[in-house]
């Protein structure tokens, strides 16, 4: 049982990291599209 919990604990971190990455990338894409629509630079 302990090995199962430890394995689950270790394997959950890549999933959490992937979710955070998707959220960040979607926000960047949204900002780029908004900047293009308003005809201005992102930076």
């Amino acid at each position: 049982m302990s090995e199962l919990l430890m394995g689950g604990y270790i394997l959950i971190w890549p999933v959490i990291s992937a979710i955070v990455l998707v959220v960040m990338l979607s926000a960047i894409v949204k900002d780029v599209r908004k900047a293009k629509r308003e005809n201005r630079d992102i930076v």
Side-chain angles (χ1 to χ4, degrees), residues 18-31:
I19 291 170
V20 169
L21 181 64
V22 167
V23 168
M24 288 171 50
L25 288 176
S26 66
I28 290 171
V29 169
K30 182 180 174 183
D31 286 344

